[in-house]
């Protein structure tokens, strides 16, 4: 039908960027809640289950939570999100992109499909009536891990913020004497994850 789509992480994508036609359109899917994304990725890295269809997954328990590994996962995701923003910002004059949150897809898939149709100027009616192949994997263990991650950050007097000036996530220290956030050079923070 003349269309081609690919899902890619930035480290995979940059190797092939020079071969991609300049008139391509990009759909940038991101997570609104990077802490939930961290928990999801941590669990998948630990148990090998990346989709609900993966049958050969190791069962995880509360005891499998690992503070150092989950914080490394958080830092990796912060870095990847920030690198995507830098890439899109550096190429804003030559490429077209629409940003769609994962959360909006799970809440209102049909509306998101309409946005994509409008952006790409194509008809996606064939996928409206089909059930999505992928399903949420969030469970009670995910909630437990998320609560532990928030607790770990609080114990380190840190929080994850989104700086709307630089369009980047930042892990920053909280000044516990007055509960303020120390953000050198940041004028406005629009999103707090905790």
């Amino acid at each position: 039908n003349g269309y081609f789509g690919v899902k890619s992480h930035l480290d995979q994508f940059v190797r092939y960027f020079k071969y991609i036609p300049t008139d391509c359109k990009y759909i940038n899917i991101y997570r609104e809640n990077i802490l939930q994304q961290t928990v999801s990725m941590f669990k998948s890295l630990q148990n090998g289950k990346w989709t609900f269809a993966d049958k050969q997954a190791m069962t995880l328990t509360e005891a499998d939570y690992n503070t150092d590994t989950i914080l490394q996962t958080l830092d990796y995701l912060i870095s990847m999100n920030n690198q995507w923003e830098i890439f899109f910002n550096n190429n804003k004059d030559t490429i077209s992109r629409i940003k769609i949150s994962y959360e909006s897809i799970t809440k209102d898939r049909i509306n998101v499909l309409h946005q994509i149709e409008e952006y790409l100027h194509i008809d996606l009616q064939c996928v409206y009536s089909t059930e999505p192949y992928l399903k949420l994997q969030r469970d009670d263990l995910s909630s437990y891990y998320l609560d532990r991650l928030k607790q770990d950050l609080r114990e380190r007097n840190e929080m994850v913020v989104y700086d709307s000036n630089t369009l980047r996530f930042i892990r920053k220290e909280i000044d516990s004497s007055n509960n303020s956030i120390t953000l050198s050079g940041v004028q406005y923070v629009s999103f707090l994850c905790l």
Side-chain angles (χ1 to χ4, degrees):
N1 65 6
Y3 295 99
F4 171 75
V6 63
K7 174 190 172 282
S8 176
H9 291 279
L10 186 64
D11 53 346
Q12 301 161 328
F13 175 77
V14 293
R15 287 179 273 178
Y16 303 103
F17 179 63
K18 63 184 175 188
Y19 303 109
I20 297 173
T22 55
D23 61 346
C24 282
K25 293 189 174 189
Y26 294 80
I27 301 172
N28 178 202
I29 298 175
Y30 69 98
R31 291 288 294 261
E32 292 172 14
N33 190 322
I34 198 167
L35 298 183
Q36 284 182 336
Q37 182 182 15
T38 299
V39 167
S40 176
M41 184 173 203
F42 171 78
K43 285 177 60 183
S44 293
L45 288 167
Q46 299 306 304
N47 70 8
K49 185 171 182 167
W50 293 92
T51 73
F52 79 99
D54 291 335
K55 304 295 184 204
Q56 301 294 332
M58 183 181 83
T59 302
L60 293 177
T61 67
E62 291 178 4
D64 293 308
Y65 182 91
N66 181 297
T67 300
D68 292 334
T69 304
I70 204 163
L71 289 174
Q72 287 172 358
T73 304
L74 173 61
D75 289 337
Y76 169 78
L77 289 171
I78 287 171
S79 174
M80 290 306 297
N81 278 300
N82 293 343
Q83 288 177 41
W84 271 118
E85 284 304 322
I86 291 167
F87 168 79
F88 283 119
N89 193 43
N90 288 344
N91 294 285
K92 65 184 173 204
D93 295 332
T94 58
I95 63 175
S96 171
R97 136 176 101 149
I98 183 175
K99 283 184 80 165
I100 297 174
S101 75
Y102 167 84
E103 289 82 355
S104 69
I105 296 169
T106 61
K107 289 177 191 164
D108 190 0
R109 184 175 72 94
I110 299 301
N111 185 44
V112 170
L113 288 172
H114 284 301
Q115 291 173 19
I116 293 171
E117 275 183 322
E118 189 174 304
Y119 173 67
L120 297 177
H121 306 292
I122 61 172
D123 182 6
L124 295 174
Q125 291 295 321
C126 61
V127 295
Y128 285 149
S129 61
T130 61
E131 274 299 307
Y133 173 71
L134 299 178
K135 300 193 182 331
L136 290 176
Q137 297 187 80
R138 196 173 307 135
D139 57 14
D140 291 341
L141 188 61
S142 299
S143 298
Y144 171 80
Y145 282 2
L146 182 61
D147 290 343
R148 282 282 306 273
L149 173 56
K150 289 177 181 180
Q151 178 183 333
D152 287 342
L153 288 168
R154 278 192 295 272
E155 287 173 3
R156 288 170 166 73
N157 285 327
E158 291 182 351
M159 67 177 15
V160 177
V161 296
Y162 183 77
D163 173 7
S164 62
N165 289 329
T166 62
L167 303 176
R168 295 189 184 136
F169 283 101
I170 311 166
R171 241 176 91 187
K172 290 306 267 182
E173 187 173 341
I174 302 168
D175 181 352
S176 56
S177 64
N178 63 7
N179 286 336
S180 66
I181 304 167
T182 306
L183 293 172
S184 59
V186 175
Q187 300 167 343
Y188 179 70
V189 175
S190 62
F191 181 75
L192 301 178
C193 290
L194 296 181

